[in-house]
Amino acid sequence: MSISAPRGLASSGQKPITEILHPLSAAEEPLSPGPDVTVSGGRDKEVGLTNGTPVETPSPASASVLFNRLQLDDDLDSDGRDPYADTETHDLFVTVDDPKKHVSTMETYITYRVSTKTTRIEFDLPEYSVRRRYQDFDWLRTKLEDSQPTHLIPPLPEKFVMKGVVDRFSEEFVETRMKALDKFLKRVADHPVLSFNPHLNAFLSAKDLNKRQGLALLSKVGESVKNVAGGYKLRVRPPEFCAMGEYLDTFNQKLGTIDRIAQRILKEQSEYLTELREYGTVYASWAGSEEELQRPLEGVAGCVTTCCGALEDMSENMGQDFLPVLREYILYIESMKNVLRKRDQSQAEYEGRLEAAVLRKQEDRTPIPAEVEKCQDKMECFNADLKADWERWQSNKRQDFKQLLTGMADKNVTHYEKCQAAWESLITLLQDKQTEDKTSCKSLWEIRQ
């Protein structure tokens, strides 16, 4: 089954569904529909961007028995650790490299070598090497999303346009995409659930990937979640998942602003680099016609050339390392919101079926339908899997951004150190030239005397 068994239900202190579906007393009123729920977004006060840990807020005083039943198990990850940590084995290693261009009469495309090393018994061999193109990665992600609907699926890079890049067959574009595909596949291979998906096995091992293969059971599970809760509306999203949604909205706003400014900086650096190169050329040309100033002018031209190289390196780092990480996490936010929406749909279906079952039991004491318990299990799976993936995502995010910001700081320091060293060497040159000129003048004066 693609939907994993509920975790932590035994320790949650929650009552079984058969205990809460008791006949209502005459004094109790039937459950009335509550207000529809939308994710908080249009607040007057901006939500603070904290460390991303869901904030526990008290339940409303007027919460019904149904709402209380839907509260999450706070003990699942109260220690701050990844609930999946004990199941990780790190016995599947994948790499995406060696891009190659293929030209045919019908199309031109790039393929990448996907290398796999593993000791898992699900694979027939310990090593594989296959070639895959972007649409194969897209197929894999779609299959993972359909067959593992309760889990966060890592995003792929944009298919058609990557900002700042025009030619999709250019070396820079292909290199950036290859790194993104490699990161996507490594994230999937490191996941304790996604890494055992049969579609991933086929992607890594099959020489000819048959994208029409059924794997019917997984497909049916995915479809059941897609079509869930068609006629139901969510009453109240639990506070923990409200905190997730608010954090994602704020995080998305921050990253979007940084991305736009970084794009503008990169463009201005490119324009400045063009002017700087022309600026240095003028000094070099001037030195050829000014014998007395030749060395100082050549020194200035050399300094400007050094500064150009340092700026080019820093801009390249921003375009190939900094911006792709921002975009990956912007896409990650959309993936996480998608899982949150599916979780809400699952809760809405459970609430609707539970309410109907309560009303039927009140009227004619009919048995509790098994489908209600199935909906409950499905919702608990969503809750547990989403919480575990959230913790994993937050851990990866902290690590990725620490590495990203450290790299950015190093590149800036290197840039300014190169520029400073170049201009300091020019000062030394000019001082030597000044001393030399004074000595020459003094010698000439003595000769005339």
Short mmCIF file of all heavy atoms in Angstrom, two decimals, residues 114-150:
data_model
loop_
_atom_site.label_atom_id
_atom_site.label_comp_id
_atom_site.label_asym_id
_atom_site.label_seq_id
_atom_site.Cartn_x
_atom_site.Cartn_y
_atom_site.Cartn_z
N VAL A 114 22.32 8.47 -15.30
CA VAL A 114 21.85 8.23 -13.93
C VAL A 114 22.54 6.97 -13.43
O VAL A 114 22.29 5.87 -13.91
CB VAL A 114 20.32 8.06 -13.88
CG1 VAL A 114 19.87 7.75 -12.46
CG2 VAL A 114 19.62 9.32 -14.38
N SER A 115 23.44 7.13 -12.47
CA SER A 115 24.20 6.01 -11.92
C SER A 115 23.66 5.65 -10.54
O SER A 115 23.35 6.53 -9.73
CB SER A 115 25.68 6.37 -11.79
OG SER A 115 26.20 6.77 -13.06
N THR A 116 23.55 4.35 -10.27
CA THR A 116 22.98 3.87 -9.01
C THR A 116 23.89 2.81 -8.40
O THR A 116 24.38 1.93 -9.11
CB THR A 116 21.58 3.26 -9.24
OG1 THR A 116 20.75 4.22 -9.87
CG2 THR A 116 20.95 2.84 -7.93
N LYS A 117 24.09 2.91 -7.09
CA LYS A 117 24.77 1.86 -6.33
C LYS A 117 23.90 1.53 -5.13
O LYS A 117 23.46 2.43 -4.41
CB LYS A 117 26.15 2.34 -5.86
CG LYS A 117 27.15 2.53 -6.99
CD LYS A 117 28.54 2.91 -6.46
CE LYS A 117 29.53 3.08 -7.60
NZ LYS A 117 30.89 3.42 -7.12
N THR A 118 23.64 0.23 -4.92
CA THR A 118 22.73 -0.15 -3.85
C THR A 118 23.01 -1.58 -3.39
O THR A 118 23.59 -2.38 -4.12
CB THR A 118 21.27 -0.04 -4.31
OG1 THR A 118 20.40 -0.34 -3.22
CG2 THR A 118 20.99 -0.96 -5.48
N THR A 119 22.58 -1.87 -2.16
CA THR A 119 22.64 -3.23 -1.62
C THR A 119 21.23 -3.75 -1.34
O THR A 119 21.08 -4.79 -0.70
CB THR A 119 23.45 -3.24 -0.32
OG1 THR A 119 22.88 -2.32 0.62
CG2 THR A 119 24.90 -2.86 -0.58
N ARG A 120 20.23 -3.05 -1.81
CA ARG A 120 18.85 -3.45 -1.53
C ARG A 120 18.46 -4.68 -2.35
O ARG A 120 18.81 -4.80 -3.53
CB ARG A 120 17.89 -2.30 -1.84
CG ARG A 120 18.03 -1.13 -0.90
CD ARG A 120 16.96 -0.08 -1.14
NE ARG A 120 17.09 1.04 -0.22
CZ ARG A 120 16.29 2.09 -0.21
NH1 ARG A 120 15.29 2.16 -1.10
NH2 ARG A 120 16.46 3.07 0.66
N ILE A 121 17.67 -5.54 -1.72
CA ILE A 121 17.26 -6.78 -2.39
C ILE A 121 16.21 -6.51 -3.47
O ILE A 121 15.96 -7.38 -4.31
CB ILE A 121 16.73 -7.79 -1.37
CG1 ILE A 121 15.51 -7.21 -0.63
CG2 ILE A 121 17.82 -8.19 -0.38
CD1 ILE A 121 14.83 -8.20 0.30
N GLU A 122 15.59 -5.33 -3.44
CA GLU A 122 14.59 -5.00 -4.47
C GLU A 122 15.24 -4.84 -5.85
O GLU A 122 14.54 -4.89 -6.86
CB GLU A 122 13.85 -3.71 -4.12
CG GLU A 122 12.92 -3.82 -2.91
CD GLU A 122 13.67 -3.62 -1.60
OE1 GLU A 122 14.87 -3.28 -1.64
OE2 GLU A 122 13.05 -3.81 -0.55
N PHE A 123 16.54 -4.64 -5.87
CA PHE A 123 17.26 -4.48 -7.14
C PHE A 123 17.99 -5.77 -7.48
O PHE A 123 18.56 -6.43 -6.60
CB PHE A 123 18.27 -3.33 -7.04
CG PHE A 123 17.64 -1.96 -6.93
CD1 PHE A 123 17.25 -1.46 -5.69
CD2 PHE A 123 17.43 -1.19 -8.06
CE1 PHE A 123 16.67 -0.21 -5.57
CE2 PHE A 123 16.85 0.07 -7.95
CZ PHE A 123 16.46 0.55 -6.71
N ASP A 124 17.98 -6.13 -8.75
CA ASP A 124 18.63 -7.36 -9.20
C ASP A 124 20.15 -7.24 -9.21
O ASP A 124 20.86 -8.25 -9.06
CB ASP A 124 18.14 -7.75 -10.60
CG ASP A 124 16.64 -8.05 -10.62
OD1 ASP A 124 16.14 -8.53 -9.57
OD2 ASP A 124 15.99 -7.80 -11.64
N LEU A 125 20.66 -6.04 -9.41
CA LEU A 125 22.10 -5.82 -9.50
C LEU A 125 22.53 -4.76 -8.49
O LEU A 125 21.72 -3.91 -8.10
CB LEU A 125 22.48 -5.38 -10.92
CG LEU A 125 22.16 -6.36 -12.06
CD1 LEU A 125 22.45 -5.71 -13.41
CD2 LEU A 125 22.94 -7.65 -11.90
N PRO A 126 23.80 -4.74 -8.11
CA PRO A 126 24.27 -3.72 -7.16
C PRO A 126 24.54 -2.37 -7.81
O PRO A 126 24.59 -1.36 -7.12
CB PRO A 126 25.55 -4.33 -6.61
CG PRO A 126 26.05 -5.21 -7.71
CD PRO A 126 24.83 -5.77 -8.37
N GLU A 127 24.73 -2.34 -9.14
CA GLU A 127 25.02 -1.09 -9.82
C GLU A 127 24.24 -1.00 -11.14
O GLU A 127 24.05 -2.01 -11.83
CB GLU A 127 26.51 -0.95 -10.11
CG GLU A 127 27.37 -0.84 -8.86
CD GLU A 127 28.83 -0.56 -9.19
OE1 GLU A 127 29.09 -0.17 -10.35
OE2 GLU A 127 29.69 -0.73 -8.31
N TYR A 128 23.83 0.22 -11.46
CA TYR A 128 23.13 0.48 -12.72
C TYR A 128 23.63 1.79 -13.31
O TYR A 128 24.05 2.69 -12.58
CB TYR A 128 21.61 0.59 -12.50
CG TYR A 128 20.93 -0.69 -12.07
CD1 TYR A 128 20.79 -0.99 -10.72
CD2 TYR A 128 20.43 -1.59 -13.01
CE1 TYR A 128 20.17 -2.15 -10.31
CE2 TYR A 128 19.80 -2.75 -12.62
CZ TYR A 128 19.67 -3.03 -11.27
OH TYR A 128 19.05 -4.19 -10.87
N SER A 129 23.54 1.89 -14.62
CA SER A 129 23.85 3.14 -15.31
C SER A 129 22.91 3.24 -16.51
O SER A 129 22.99 2.42 -17.44
CB SER A 129 25.31 3.17 -15.77
OG SER A 129 25.58 4.39 -16.44
N VAL A 130 22.02 4.21 -16.46
CA VAL A 130 21.05 4.40 -17.53
C VAL A 130 21.06 5.87 -17.94
O VAL A 130 21.59 6.72 -17.23
CB VAL A 130 19.62 3.99 -17.09
CG1 VAL A 130 19.55 2.51 -16.79
CG2 VAL A 130 19.18 4.80 -15.86
N ARG A 131 20.50 6.15 -19.10
CA ARG A 131 20.40 7.54 -19.56
C ARG A 131 18.94 7.97 -19.54
O ARG A 131 18.06 7.23 -19.99
CB ARG A 131 21.00 7.71 -20.96
CG ARG A 131 22.48 7.38 -21.03
CD ARG A 131 23.15 8.09 -22.18
NE ARG A 131 23.23 9.53 -21.98
CZ ARG A 131 24.21 10.14 -21.27
NH1 ARG A 131 25.16 9.42 -20.69
NH2 ARG A 131 24.22 11.44 -21.14
N ARG A 132 18.70 9.15 -19.01
CA ARG A 132 17.35 9.68 -18.88
C ARG A 132 17.33 11.14 -19.34
O ARG A 132 18.30 11.88 -19.16
CB ARG A 132 16.88 9.61 -17.42
CG ARG A 132 16.78 8.19 -16.85
CD ARG A 132 15.60 7.44 -17.42
NE ARG A 132 15.46 6.13 -16.82
CZ ARG A 132 15.75 5.00 -17.43
NH1 ARG A 132 16.21 5.02 -18.67
NH2 ARG A 132 15.57 3.84 -16.83
N ARG A 133 16.20 11.55 -19.91
CA ARG A 133 16.00 12.94 -20.29
C ARG A 133 15.03 13.59 -19.31
O ARG A 133 14.48 12.93 -18.44
CB ARG A 133 15.47 13.04 -21.73
CG ARG A 133 14.22 12.23 -21.99
CD ARG A 133 13.85 12.18 -23.45
NE ARG A 133 13.54 13.49 -24.00
CZ ARG A 133 13.08 13.69 -25.24
NH1 ARG A 133 12.90 12.66 -26.05
NH2 ARG A 133 12.83 14.90 -25.65
N TYR A 134 14.84 14.90 -19.47
CA TYR A 134 14.03 15.62 -18.48
C TYR A 134 12.64 15.03 -18.35
O TYR A 134 12.11 14.88 -17.23
CB TYR A 134 13.93 17.10 -18.87
CG TYR A 134 13.08 17.90 -17.92
CD1 TYR A 134 13.64 18.50 -16.80
CD2 TYR A 134 11.71 18.03 -18.10
CE1 TYR A 134 12.87 19.22 -15.89
CE2 TYR A 134 10.92 18.74 -17.21
CZ TYR A 134 11.51 19.34 -16.11
OH TYR A 134 10.72 20.03 -15.22
N GLN A 135 11.99 14.67 -19.44
CA GLN A 135 10.62 14.19 -19.37
C GLN A 135 10.53 12.85 -18.60
O GLN A 135 9.46 12.52 -18.06
CB GLN A 135 10.03 14.03 -20.76
CG GLN A 135 10.67 12.98 -21.64
CD GLN A 135 10.05 12.94 -23.02
OE1 GLN A 135 9.57 13.95 -23.53
NE2 GLN A 135 10.05 11.78 -23.64
N ASP A 136 11.64 12.11 -18.53
CA ASP A 136 11.66 10.89 -17.72
C ASP A 136 11.62 11.23 -16.23
O ASP A 136 10.94 10.57 -15.45
CB ASP A 136 12.91 10.06 -18.03
CG ASP A 136 12.96 9.60 -19.47
OD1 ASP A 136 11.87 9.35 -20.05
OD2 ASP A 136 14.06 9.48 -20.03
N PHE A 137 12.36 12.27 -15.85
CA PHE A 137 12.31 12.74 -14.47
C PHE A 137 10.91 13.25 -14.13
O PHE A 137 10.41 13.03 -13.02
CB PHE A 137 13.34 13.85 -14.24
CG PHE A 137 14.76 13.38 -14.19
CD1 PHE A 137 15.50 13.25 -15.35
CD2 PHE A 137 15.36 13.08 -12.97
CE1 PHE A 137 16.82 12.82 -15.31
CE2 PHE A 137 16.68 12.66 -12.92
CZ PHE A 137 17.41 12.51 -14.09
N ASP A 138 10.30 13.94 -15.08
CA ASP A 138 8.95 14.46 -14.89
C ASP A 138 7.95 13.31 -14.71
O ASP A 138 7.05 13.37 -13.87
CB ASP A 138 8.56 15.33 -16.09
CG ASP A 138 7.27 16.09 -15.86
OD1 ASP A 138 7.09 16.63 -14.76
OD2 ASP A 138 6.43 16.13 -16.79
N TRP A 139 8.13 12.25 -15.49
CA TRP A 139 7.29 11.05 -15.35
C TRP A 139 7.44 10.46 -13.95
O TRP A 139 6.44 10.11 -13.31
CB TRP A 139 7.71 10.02 -16.41
CG TRP A 139 7.07 8.67 -16.23
CD1 TRP A 139 5.86 8.25 -16.68
CD2 TRP A 139 7.63 7.54 -15.51
NE1 TRP A 139 5.62 6.94 -16.31
CE2 TRP A 139 6.69 6.49 -15.59
CE3 TRP A 139 8.82 7.34 -14.84
CZ2 TRP A 139 6.92 5.24 -15.00
CZ3 TRP A 139 9.05 6.10 -14.24
CH2 TRP A 139 8.11 5.06 -14.34
N LEU A 140 8.67 10.35 -13.48
CA LEU A 140 8.90 9.79 -12.16
C LEU A 140 8.22 10.62 -11.08
O LEU A 140 7.56 10.07 -10.19
CB LEU A 140 10.41 9.71 -11.88
CG LEU A 140 10.80 9.31 -10.45
CD1 LEU A 140 10.30 7.90 -10.13
CD2 LEU A 140 12.31 9.40 -10.26
N ARG A 141 8.37 11.92 -11.16
CA ARG A 141 7.76 12.77 -10.12
C ARG A 141 6.24 12.65 -10.12
O ARG A 141 5.60 12.60 -9.06
CB ARG A 141 8.17 14.22 -10.30
CG ARG A 141 7.76 15.06 -9.10
CD ARG A 141 8.08 16.54 -9.24
NE ARG A 141 7.77 17.21 -7.99
CZ ARG A 141 6.54 17.52 -7.60
NH1 ARG A 141 5.49 17.26 -8.37
NH2 ARG A 141 6.34 18.12 -6.42
N THR A 142 5.65 12.61 -11.31
CA THR A 142 4.20 12.46 -11.41
C THR A 142 3.75 11.15 -10.79
O THR A 142 2.75 11.10 -10.05
CB THR A 142 3.75 12.53 -12.88
OG1 THR A 142 4.12 13.79 -13.43
CG2 THR A 142 2.24 12.36 -12.99
N LYS A 143 4.48 10.07 -11.06
CA LYS A 143 4.13 8.76 -10.50
C LYS A 143 4.28 8.75 -8.98
O LYS A 143 3.45 8.17 -8.27
CB LYS A 143 5.02 7.68 -11.12
CG LYS A 143 4.70 7.37 -12.58
CD LYS A 143 3.29 6.85 -12.73
CE LYS A 143 2.97 6.47 -14.17
NZ LYS A 143 1.57 6.00 -14.32
N LEU A 144 5.31 9.40 -8.49
CA LEU A 144 5.49 9.47 -7.04
C LEU A 144 4.36 10.26 -6.39
O LEU A 144 3.84 9.90 -5.33
CB LEU A 144 6.84 10.12 -6.71
CG LEU A 144 8.10 9.33 -7.04
CD1 LEU A 144 9.34 10.17 -6.77
CD2 LEU A 144 8.16 8.03 -6.25
N GLU A 145 3.98 11.35 -7.02
CA GLU A 145 2.91 12.19 -6.47
C GLU A 145 1.58 11.45 -6.47
O GLU A 145 0.80 11.58 -5.53
CB GLU A 145 2.81 13.48 -7.29
CG GLU A 145 2.02 14.58 -6.59
CD GLU A 145 2.15 15.91 -7.32
OE1 GLU A 145 2.08 15.89 -8.58
OE2 GLU A 145 2.34 16.95 -6.67
N ASP A 146 1.33 10.66 -7.52
CA ASP A 146 0.07 9.92 -7.60
C ASP A 146 0.04 8.74 -6.63
O ASP A 146 -1.01 8.45 -6.03
CB ASP A 146 -0.15 9.40 -9.03
CG ASP A 146 -0.48 10.51 -10.01
OD1 ASP A 146 -0.83 11.62 -9.55
OD2 ASP A 146 -0.37 10.29 -11.23
N SER A 147 1.16 8.06 -6.49
CA SER A 147 1.17 6.83 -5.69
C SER A 147 1.52 7.06 -4.23
O SER A 147 1.26 6.21 -3.39
CB SER A 147 2.16 5.82 -6.29
OG SER A 147 3.47 6.37 -6.35
N GLN A 148 2.11 8.21 -3.90
CA GLN A 148 2.44 8.53 -2.51
C GLN A 148 1.82 9.88 -2.15
O GLN A 148 2.53 10.86 -1.86
CB GLN A 148 3.95 8.59 -2.31
CG GLN A 148 4.72 7.41 -2.82
CD GLN A 148 4.72 6.22 -1.87
OE1 GLN A 148 5.30 5.20 -2.15
NE2 GLN A 148 4.07 6.35 -0.73
N PRO A 149 0.50 9.98 -2.17
CA PRO A 149 -0.15 11.30 -2.02
C PRO A 149 0.02 11.93 -0.65
O PRO A 149 -0.18 13.14 -0.50
CB PRO A 149 -1.63 11.00 -2.30
CG PRO A 149 -1.78 9.55 -1.95
CD PRO A 149 -0.48 8.90 -2.32
N THR A 150 0.39 11.13 0.37
CA THR A 150 0.52 11.70 1.71
C THR A 150 1.90 12.27 1.97
O THR A 150 2.15 12.83 3.05
CB THR A 150 0.24 10.62 2.78
OG1 THR A 150 1.24 9.59 2.68
CG2 THR A 150 -1.13 10.01 2.59
#
